């Protein structure tokens, strides 16, 4: 008897897009599934065979009856088993690409669906990895995943970060755990774009550092002339500001609401040799932008990289208004002939809507602009072509 015969079956309703699932779409929503007491009793994280409405098999899926995304496609092999070999094969495939692209082991190793691990994020920091298992199936198989990760990469420390918003939607806990090795008390040094960043793997935001902006940091650094005055708003641990200092800027001001993040940014400036050129200002970004405008302060380059103002379709309109407001306030702070970079990590706000909101804000500030560059996440954050949400990051750069 095959493994398939022992697994529960999940059947699609006639209206569901079975063709899209066969062509690579990785999610099945609860309202597309024929549910009964049997399907609702399937344990969260269990494996099942997904069938179309005529009972023809489509894929091996992980099931979570408590989630709106009730099934996540794991494998086209219906007899696939999530053993050590399954995890190691996919991890090696992901590692091979990162090692080809990056000289040092500091990158996103696993980017969820695009790397064949639905709902799973793994960021690597040298000999340490941080896992965000944001789907029930990954939580069930976390020990096997951890063991495979150590085998494939040779890392000595593996941490579980349970802070992701998605975990709550999956009915999972928010408890961080050290899975292998010993968590360091001190932040780790991470080299990027000629600067040193400090990553707090245990107490920082998400996994401790945002690798996705790396190519956009590098582009911003190309915009600075020697001695340039630059402003980095929503700076977190100094992302754009430190990169622009490495590119030759004379002074950088980082603005963020988190004192802890700004402290890490200052430590990064010190480690990079930029301490005398680096300043911080803690406060609400909108208020600080307004204050700087009232003070008449202007900069050669201004970058704004806010959190997701539109994390869902329901929040889209309010989010677009917030992006427009950021653009209006920031544009007033750019010297004539200077540059403005605006970013969005909201998957609900596509590039067109975000760009339009940003351009409206610049116009409302009374500035004329040239759109010179559009950036996205780096190649360690690959996109699954069938899943628009995997292409969440956008960055637009203007000359004013």
């Amino acid at each position: 008897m095959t493994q398939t015969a022992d697994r529960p079956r999940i059947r699609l309703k006639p209206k569901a897009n079975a063709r899209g699932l066969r062509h690579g779409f990785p999610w099945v929503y609860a309202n597309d599934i024929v549910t009964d007491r049997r399907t609702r009793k399937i344990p969260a994280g269990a494996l099942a065979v997904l069938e179309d409405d005529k009972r023809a098999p489509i894929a091996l899926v992980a099931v979570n009856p408590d989630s709106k995304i009730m099934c996540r496609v794991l494998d086209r092999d219906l007899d696939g088993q999530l053993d050590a070999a399954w995890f190691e094969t996919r991890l090696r495939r992901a590692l091979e690409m990162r090692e080809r692209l990056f000289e040092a082991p500091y990158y996103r190793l696993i980017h969820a669906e695009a790397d064949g691990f639905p709902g799973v994020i793994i960021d690597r920091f040298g000999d340490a990895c941080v896992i965000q298992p944001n789907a029930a199936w990954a939580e069930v198989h976390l020990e096997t995943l951890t063991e495979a990760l150590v085998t494939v990469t040779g890392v000595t420390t593996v941490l579980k970060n349970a802070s992701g918003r998605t975990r709550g939607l999956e009915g999972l806990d928010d408890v961080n755990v050290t899975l292998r090795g010993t968590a360091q008390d001190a932040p780790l040094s991470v080299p990027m774009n000629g600067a040193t960043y400090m990553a707090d793997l245990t107490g920082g935001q998400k996994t401790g550092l945002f690798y996705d902006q790396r190519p956009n940091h590098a582009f911003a650094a190309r915009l600075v002339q020697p001695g340039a005055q630059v402003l980095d708003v929503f700076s977190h641990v100094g992302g754009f500001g430190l990169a622009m200092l490495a590119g030759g800027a004379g002074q950088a001001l980082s603005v963020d609401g988190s004192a802890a993040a700004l402290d890490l940014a200052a430590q990064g400036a010190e480690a990079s040799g930029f301490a005398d050129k680096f300043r911080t200002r803690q406060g609400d970004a909108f208020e600080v932008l307004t204050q700087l405008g009232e003070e008449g302060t202007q900069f050669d380059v201004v970058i704004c990289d806010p959190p997701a103002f539109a994390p869902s379709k329901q929040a889209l309109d309010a989010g677009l208004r917030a992006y427009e407001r950021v653009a209006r306030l920031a544009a007033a702070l750019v010297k004539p002939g200077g540059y403005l970079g605006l970013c969005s990590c909201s998957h609900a706000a596509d590039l067109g809507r975000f760009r339009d909101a940003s351009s409206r804000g610049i116009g409302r500030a009374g500035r004329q602009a040239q759109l010179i560059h559009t950036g996205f996440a780096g190649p360690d954050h690959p996109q699954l072509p069938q899943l628009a949400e995997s292409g969440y990051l956008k960055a637009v750069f203007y000359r004013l």
Side-chain angles (χ1 to χ4, degrees), residues 201-265:
L201 305 192
T202 57
Q205 193 173 349
K206 297 293 181 69
T207 62
L209 194 68
F210 298 121
Y211 285 126
D212 53 0
Q213 287 282 22
R214 182 173 358 210
N216 298 318
H217 292 166
F219 182 80
R222 292 169 55 192
L223 299 177
V224 301
Q225 296 292 324
Q229 307 289 305
V230 303
L231 173 65
D232 179 11
V233 186
F234 306 98
S235 68
H236 192 228
V237 297
F240 281 95
L242 295 182
M244 289 188 285
L245 286 172
Q251 290 285 333
L253 173 61
S254 283
V255 175
D256 201 272
S258 167
L262 290 177
D263 182 56
L264 289 169

Side-chain angles (χ1 to χ4, degrees), residues 238-318:
F240 281 95
L242 295 182
M244 289 188 285
L245 286 172
Q251 290 285 333
L253 173 61
S254 283
V255 175
D256 201 272
S258 167
L262 290 177
D263 182 56
L264 289 169
Q267 291 180 44
E270 179 76 33
S272 304
F274 307 144
D276 59 331
K277 301 178 181 180
F278 185 77
R279 296 180 296 128
T280 64
R281 189 158 169 172
Q282 184 190 356
D284 175 82
F286 290 101
E287 292 179 3
V288 174
L289 286 169
T290 301
Q291 291 163 4
L292 290 170
E294 291 171 349
E295 295 165 9
T297 309
Q298 287 196 313
F299 301 85
D300 297 288
V301 182
V302 176
I303 308 289
C304 296
D305 182 19
F309 287 148
S312 64
K313 291 181 180 179
Q314 293 78 9
L316 179 58
D317 289 343

